[in-house]
Amino acid sequence: MNALIRRFFSAESLVPQHRRLGDLPGDREGYRNISRIAVPSVSEMVLSSLIGSMDAMMVGILGKNAIAGVNLPTQPRMISLSLFFALNVGVTAIVARRKGEERREAANTTIRNALMLIVGLSLLVMALSLAFAEPLMRLAGGNTNTPDDAIVLQDAINYFKIMSFGLPFSALSMCINAAMRGVGNTKLTLRVNIVSNLVNVVFNYLLIGGNLGFPRLEVIGAALASVIGIVSGTVMAVVAITSHKDSYLHIGRHDEWKFHPETLRGIVKLGGNAMVEQISVRVGFFIYGRIIYDMGVTAFAAHNIAMQMMNLTFNFADGLAVAGTSLVGQNLGARRSDLSLLYGKMTQRLAFAFSLIIAAIVAVFRYPLAQLFINADTLGAPQVIAMATSAMLVLACFQPVQMNSVALSGALRGAGDNLYVASVMMICVGVLRPLMTYIAVYVFRFSLPITWILGLSEMLVRLALFHLRFESGKWMTKKV
């Protein structure tokens, strides 16, 4: 058994002889290189998710209507951010490749062009979000059919509008962090997100319940706290990239601040491919959440408690995927496709090991975890907890599939193979998940856990398609 485990993780067994272009690093060195990037990245994302979960817990004190009101705007807000997620995929891949090519000035030109583009676009998206806040919330499922629904709708509109004012700051911070990940500087993004989320939690305490002399603003207070946290993180990111002239990425007011057509084409090309993915994924999740809302406020609240756990587990995988993206891109830039293959497979191995641990934790502790997110004394809380724990058990079973598919997609993005990733995500998340959920809810009227099983079944297709692509090696020939 020990021999099989060693072989499963061994660098020598991961890269076939005919694909080797030189010496491979030893097992310890290889996993250390991944850990150097992955540990801060995983820490950043998991801590961010944990603090975000604390945000949800603090809102949960107000009851199921508040939980629903804060979560109803989630997918419309993610759709409004999808353009920036997509462009930042291109930023990370290009900056990583330029570092591998030892072209520092080209990397800095990339970040300057990306920042100018993203700031302008974010102001436009903010204006549109504010103008169409109520129609978007109604499209997401908000209505006034019952008194509870009316409360949820108004809370959702207020929350979405306030969060829209923070969108330009989010976009700016995300762009800087994406570039830093490309050069492997995940420690900065860790610090930015920790500070941002800690500030958020502090102001949640002050503004949601009205503590230490601050007004009790409830859901509005949660939104204001989030925006204050976002602005704090953005200030840190801007200071970091402008104040240290000896760092690999640095921008200043005396730099050449004008658009470079070739640089922009590269960002938009890779970002455009990722945009297909982002739009399809966000629309898919939007429809998914919209269908779940039709199961009732109780089921929707339970669904979002379980989604808090899904987001947390996803962030473990996404942190590893960042390491895969960075190392795959850098080594392809250095013309060592064999090392790109090695690090892609190593991140998969780590993702699988983590998935088993996380699955066990979620399955064993699902009841106390769910109880953290809602005040047990509020109306309907026992039903919410029962539904949420059943969905969390489904989530535990899907952990190995989820984490491995995320790790593989990160490696493919690092190679610039964004169009393939986008196509798979469009099919699986944009079509299959909403379709299976629609059948479960409207045709068979299944319970929430069975609906989750059918909805998450698309992950099996996603994993198979990513695995076939990665093993084919076609991603090694992509030009960035």
Side-chain angles (χ1 to χ4, degrees):
M1 179 63 72
N2 288 338
L4 286 174
I5 294 174
R6 281 197 298 271
R7 180 173 175 78
F8 181 74
F9 288 98
S10 171
E12 285 295 322
S13 67
L14 297 180
V15 182
Q17 287 289 343
H18 69 276
R19 285 187 169 173
R20 297 186 186 184
L21 302 175
D23 294 334
L24 300 179
D27 295 347
R28 185 171 296 181
E29 181 185 355
Y31 286 109
R32 187 188 299 121
N33 289 338
I34 294 174
S35 299
R36 176 176 51 83
I37 299 173
V39 169
S41 185
V42 170
S43 300
E44 167 209 340
M45 294 182 180
V46 171
L47 285 173
S48 177
S49 185
L50 282 172
I51 296 172
S53 295
M54 290 175 63
D55 192 2
M57 293 174 201
M58 297 170 89
V59 171
I61 294 172
L62 304 173
K64 65 179 184 180
N65 288 342
I67 295 174
V70 167
N71 283 284
L72 189 64
T74 298
Q75 293 313 318
R77 182 168 178 267
M78 295 305 285
I79 289 174
S80 69
L81 286 169
S82 61
L83 173 62
F84 311 105
F85 288 131
L87 291 173
N88 288 333
V89 169
V91 171
T92 300
I94 292 172
V95 169
R97 187 69 67 94
R98 299 297 172 260
K99 184 179 182 184
E101 296 168 347
E102 299 183 353
R103 296 171 59 193
R104 183 187 178 200
E105 183 51 40
N108 281 290
T109 299
T110 299
I111 182 64
R112 289 196 300 271
N113 276 254
L115 286 172
M116 289 187 289
L117 179 64
I118 281 172
V119 168
L121 290 173
S122 66
L123 293 173
L124 175 61
V125 174
M126 179 189 73
L128 292 172
S129 297
L130 290 170
F132 296 100
E134 183 171 350
L136 282 170
M137 293 307 100
R138 288 185 177 275
L139 188 61
N143 59 72
T144 55
N145 295 340
T146 68
D148 282 349
D149 286 326
I151 293 170
V152 169
L153 176 61
Q154 190 56 56
D155 281 345
I157 292 169
N158 293 336
Y159 189 88
F160 184 74
K161 282 184 175 180
I162 295 170
M163 292 299 294
S164 294
F165 284 108
L167 190 145
F169 296 96
S170 289
L172 181 62
S173 180
M174 285 161 49
C175 182
I176 295 172
N177 289 341
M180 290 296 184
R181 290 187 182 108
V183 297
N185 185 4
T186 50
K187 291 182 180 179
L188 170 64
T189 60
L190 170 62
R191 291 194 297 269
V192 167
N193 279 283
I194 287 177
V195 169
S196 176
N197 284 284
L198 284 176
V199 170
N200 182 13
V201 169
V202 170
F203 278 92
N204 271 336
Y205 172 75
L206 298 174
L207 297 175
I208 292 176
N211 294 298
L212 301 181
F214 282 79
R216 180 185 174 91
L217 301 177
E218 299 188 348
V219 169
I220 290 175
L224 289 171
S226 295
V227 171
I228 294 169
I230 289 167
V231 172
S232 301
T234 303
V235 170
M236 278 191 66
V238 171
V239 168
I241 203 168
T242 57
S243 61
H244 304 293
K245 292 185 178 181
D246 57 340
S247 63
Y248 191 87
L249 291 179
H250 175 268
I251 59 173
R253 58 192 177 118
H254 298 300
D255 292 337
E256 185 182 49
W257 287 92
K258 70 177 185 179
F259 287 118
H260 286 241
E262 184 179 351
T263 301
L264 276 178
R265 276 195 297 269
I267 296 171
V268 173
K269 178 183 177 183
L270 291 180
N273 292 339
M275 190 65 186
V276 175
E277 173 189 348
Q278 286 296 324
I279 291 295
S280 59
V281 167
R282 296 308 162 192
V283 170
F285 275 121
F286 182 90
I287 298 171
Y288 179 52
R290 174 68 180 80
I291 295 170
I292 296 293
Y293 191 84
D294 278 351
M295 298 179 75
V297 171
T298 299
F300 187 70
H303 166 77
N304 280 287
I305 290 173
M307 286 297 293
Q308 289 289 333
M309 288 296 104
M310 174 173 275
N311 292 338
L312 177 59
T313 60
F314 175 84
N315 284 325
F316 276 97
D318 208 27
L320 286 170
V322 167
T325 298
S326 180
L327 290 169
V328 167
Q330 290 179 31
N331 283 290
L332 285 176
R335 301 184 185 280
R336 286 297 305 269
S337 59
D338 55 337
L339 295 184
S340 295
L341 178 65
L342 173 66
Y343 287 120
K345 288 191 174 184
M346 281 184 162
T347 55
Q348 292 173 55
R349 299 303 193 263
L350 290 173
F352 179 74
F354 272 117
S355 71
L356 298 179
I357 298 170
I358 293 171
I361 292 172
V362 172
V364 172
F365 296 103
R366 63 190 187 279
Y367 280 98
L369 287 171
Q371 289 166 351
L372 292 172
F373 290 93
I374 186 168
N375 185 345
D377 296 327
T378 58
L379 184 65
Q383 293 86 349
V384 171
I385 293 170
M387 288 185 185
T389 52
S390 297
M392 288 165 65
L393 191 58
V394 175
L395 172 63
C397 294
F398 275 91
Q399 277 308 291
V401 181
Q402 173 185 291
M403 293 193 71
N404 275 276
S405 67
V406 172
L408 279 167
S409 67
L412 293 173
R413 287 191 185 98
D417 200 6
N418 297 43
L419 183 58
Y420 183 84
V421 174
S423 300
V424 171
M425 296 299 286
M426 179 174 63
I427 293 168
C428 294
V429 182
V431 177
L432 290 180
R433 183 178 291 197
L435 177 61
M436 298 303 288
T437 306
Y438 181 93
I439 293 170
V441 173
Y442 297 130
V443 178
F444 294 106
R445 301 190 181 280
F446 285 141
S447 61
L448 185 63
I450 303 300
T451 299
W452 265 56
I453 291 173
L454 290 180
L456 298 187
S457 63
E458 56 83 14
M459 289 183 181
L460 297 168
V461 179
R462 199 194 318 174
L463 176 61
L465 292 174
F466 284 152
H467 179 76
L468 289 172
R469 182 67 167 190
F470 188 81
E471 291 299 321
S472 74
K474 293 179 180 178
W475 50 273
M476 296 180 183
T477 62
K478 294 291 177 179
K479 302 295 181 184
V480 174

